[in-house]
Amino acid sequence: MMDIEEFKGYVYDGSLVDAVSNVLAKPLEAFANTPLRIAVVGELGSGKSSFINAMLGLDADDPRAAETGIHTMTVEVKTYPYPTLPQVILCDLPGKGSSSFGENTFAKKVDLNCFDFFIIVGSQRFRSTHADLVHEIQEMEKRFYFVRAKADLDLMATKRQRPSAYNEEKILLRIKEDCRECLIKEWVRDPQVFIVSNMEPRCFDFPLLQETLKADLLRLKRQAFLLSLPSICMPTLEKKKEARKRKIWLTAICSGLIAAIPVPGLSFMAAMFLFVNFRTQCFLDFGLDDRSLAALAQLVGKSEAVLKAVMKSLVLKPVILWRLPDLVGATVMIAEYSYGWSFPIFGCLLSGAISLPSTYFMLQKCVSDVADDTQRVLTKALKAAEKEPV
Ligand SMILES: Nc1nc2c(ncn2[C@@H]2O[C@H](COP(=O)(O)OP(=O)(O)OP(=O)(O)O)[C@@H](O)[C@H]2O)c(=O)[nH]1
Ligand SMILES: [Mg+2]
């Protein structure tokens, strides 16, 4: 059984390496209770709902079955617990593409991010809709099976057209090879293709598909668990962020006081110095310092640069822009000096008054950015770790 609280605890303590290594050290069986939401996706009318019924072992007229048929389009995401595998939920999705009424329910109602694994159901040829789905799934770094349904119809059509050359095995193999080739062209490594008829779930590759899913189950659940961790620890990061923000006042007051010293430009220099120091402290606090990042990168088999590439808080340019108001105080000070004043009272007051709140907000933003970066780094690291062999 996976202990999420333990993971959150490590994240709160800023020890991302311990958080990730602790999860990776768990045996596959530890993920048995993780829910796996499988989205059944594909073109309109490709046979998605019929596929779900075949998986559930239900006839189309069973009241528990998914609605199917050329006149009954699926318009809402519906979920069906898969009876033979624990915590596996099959989700029947609206078809991708526009219906004859111009309605595109898929685009309006479906967020593919909510699902852990995908079964793309296609019938007839491999089309751009399938390629688009493949790309969307690959972008999320998730996995899929490609199910080519309605094999019975293909066989029947060939039998009618070329009865003398009819060879069931050869036809099915040809369809499978075609699908595999098309998927490989879309940069899918080792695609898993199953040729089925939803009308005959005991024939063709249907039993193989069920066996493969059973065999892959713990690995898929582990992947689902790893990929869900960054959003699970969002509230933890939020709590940490708030705790860090409570300590900002002191630095902001320091910045205001230094800015009031009658040296034009000192306000900018001091604020930048305090900012960089504060940010270094935040990195240490959240576990994003160089040493921690190097250890995390090594753990998940990536380079440190790959993890740093997702960090937005490393970019200093926007911070410099935030300090532009410092120019106002400095300008007033210079004006006062040039009028022969020995002490630029207005410039000092203005400079301090500008620096204190602007530093305060700048540091607040810094904490938020570092917290967001922590989530991004974790996501990247867990995605990389998930690809490593168990
Ligand atoms: N012969 C045969 N017909 C199938 C097969 N799969 C689905 N059908 C038929 O194809 C039609 C559409 O099937 P559905 O399961 O409703 O397709 P869908 O993808 O859920 O359709 P939408 O929800 O509208 O996108 C129905 O008439 C099914 O009976 C199959 O493997 N073989
Ligand atoms: Mg349907």
Side-chain angles (χ1 to χ4, degrees):
M1 178 70 186
M2 268 308 308
D3 187 359
I4 292 174
E5 292 311 313
E6 204 176 7
F7 181 84
K8 287 183 180 172
Y10 282 128
V11 171
Y12 193 82
D13 294 341
S15 107
L16 303 186
V17 181
D18 290 332
V20 176
S21 66
N22 188 44
V23 182
L24 296 184
K26 304 278 180 207
L28 274 180
E29 289 67 36
F31 302 92
N33 285 330
T34 304
L36 185 76
R37 282 169 65 86
I38 304 179
V40 179
V41 287
E43 282 187 319
L44 288 164
S46 62
K48 300 175 294 300
S49 305
S50 306
F51 170 78
I52 287 187
N53 291 340
M55 288 287 276
L56 301 178
L58 297 175
D59 290 331
D61 53 6
D62 191 303
R64 293 163 299 167
E67 278 189 18
T68 60
I70 31 177
H71 303 298
T72 38
M73 194 170 85
T74 307
V75 288
E76 295 282 347
V77 177
K78 286 201 180 145
T79 55
Y80 301 86
Y82 187 45
T84 52
L85 297 175
Q87 302 276 33
V88 173
I89 301 132
L90 295 173
C91 305
D92 191 11
L93 268 55
K96 191 171 165 73
S98 298
S99 71
S100 44
F101 316 108
E103 185 90 19
N104 193 336
T105 325
F106 183 88
K108 272 192 214 152
K109 296 202 175 156
V110 178
D111 175 9
L112 292 184
N113 281 298
C114 310
F115 305 99
D116 306 309
F117 181 66
F118 297 84
I119 294 181
I120 303 179
V121 177
S123 59
Q124 299 174 325
R125 294 206 180 118
F126 189 91
R127 283 191 263 261
S128 62
T129 325
H130 303 122
D132 292 346
L133 278 169
V134 167
H135 297 157
E136 279 179 67
I137 296 167
Q138 283 185 322
E139 246 163 62
M140 293 186 282
E141 300 191 45
K142 292 184 181 171
R143 293 179 192 169
F144 68 90
Y145 294 160
F146 188 85
V147 168
R148 170 60 164 74
K150 307 193 186 179
D152 53 320
L153 296 183
D154 295 293
L155 291 174
M156 206 157 63
T158 321
K159 201 172 198 174
R160 274 202 194 137
Q161 285 161 8
R162 282 181 236 112
S164 55
Y166 182 78
N167 178 327
E168 183 177 307
E169 216 171 296
K170 265 193 185 165
I171 299 165
L172 294 175
L173 196 65
R174 177 82 203 275
I175 301 174
K176 198 177 214 166
E177 279 313 310
D178 278 351
C179 293
R180 280 180 60 84
E181 271 170 31
C182 291
L183 288 164
I184 288 168
K185 272 191 201 144
E186 301 305 325
W187 306 103
V188 181
R189 254 193 291 157
D190 196 19
Q192 280 178 291
V193 177
F194 302 91
I195 312 299
V196 307
S197 162
N198 296 324
M199 303 296 130
E200 299 162 67
R202 288 207 192 91
C203 301
F204 313 121
D205 286 342
F206 216 108
L208 176 69
L209 162 70
Q210 286 169 313
E211 279 310 306
T212 312
L213 181 60
K214 194 172 163 190
D216 285 348
L217 191 65
L218 287 178
R219 233 169 245 278
L220 294 174
K221 285 188 169 192
R222 176 183 186 268
Q223 183 197 37
F225 184 81
L226 291 184
L227 297 189
S228 70
L229 284 174
S231 44
I232 286 176
C233 68
M234 267 290 269
T236 308
L237 288 172
E238 206 56 42
K239 211 163 93 187
K240 195 171 164 68
K241 195 164 97 178
E242 290 315 314
R244 197 79 184 79
K245 276 185 178 174
R246 282 195 284 275
K247 296 180 192 159
I248 287 175
W249 273 114
L250 202 64
T251 318
I253 291 170
C254 234
S255 167
L257 289 176
I258 298 173
I261 295 171
V263 178
L266 186 65
S267 147
F268 173 82
M269 302 299 285
M272 286 310 289
F273 175 77
L274 288 171
F275 172 82
V276 172
N277 258 334
F278 180 84
R279 193 183 59 169
T280 309
Q281 208 52 49
C282 282
F283 284 160
L284 272 169
D285 222 18
F286 280 82
L288 297 183
D289 54 294
D290 284 350
R291 192 130 64 97
S292 308
L293 283 178
L296 184 61
Q298 195 186 9
L299 178 70
V300 300
K302 289 270 164 194
S303 75
E304 202 183 324
V306 169
L307 298 184
K308 281 190 172 173
V310 298
M311 287 176 62
K312 297 196 174 154
S313 57
L314 283 172
V315 189
L316 270 182
K317 209 164 138 195
V319 181
I320 294 171
L321 292 178
W322 268 74
R323 298 312 312 179
L324 281 180
D326 287 337
L327 281 176
V328 180
T331 315
V332 174
M333 268 188 211
I334 292 167
E336 283 171 307
Y337 278 128
S338 60
Y339 275 110
W341 293 25
S342 58
F343 191 85
I345 177 85
F346 292 113
C348 290
L349 287 175
L350 198 59
S351 202
I354 288 173
S355 190
L356 193 147
S358 65
T359 303
Y360 181 79
F361 288 114
M362 194 168 92
L363 299 185
Q364 269 210 333
K365 178 141 185 0
C366 174
V367 179
S368 301
D369 287 351
V370 173
D372 291 348
D373 278 351
T374 310
Q375 212 204 7
R376 276 191 278 267
V377 166
L378 261 178
T379 309
K380 191 82 200 165
L382 288 165
K383 277 183 177 172
E386 184 276 314
K387 289 199 181 116
E388 293 287 294
V390 188

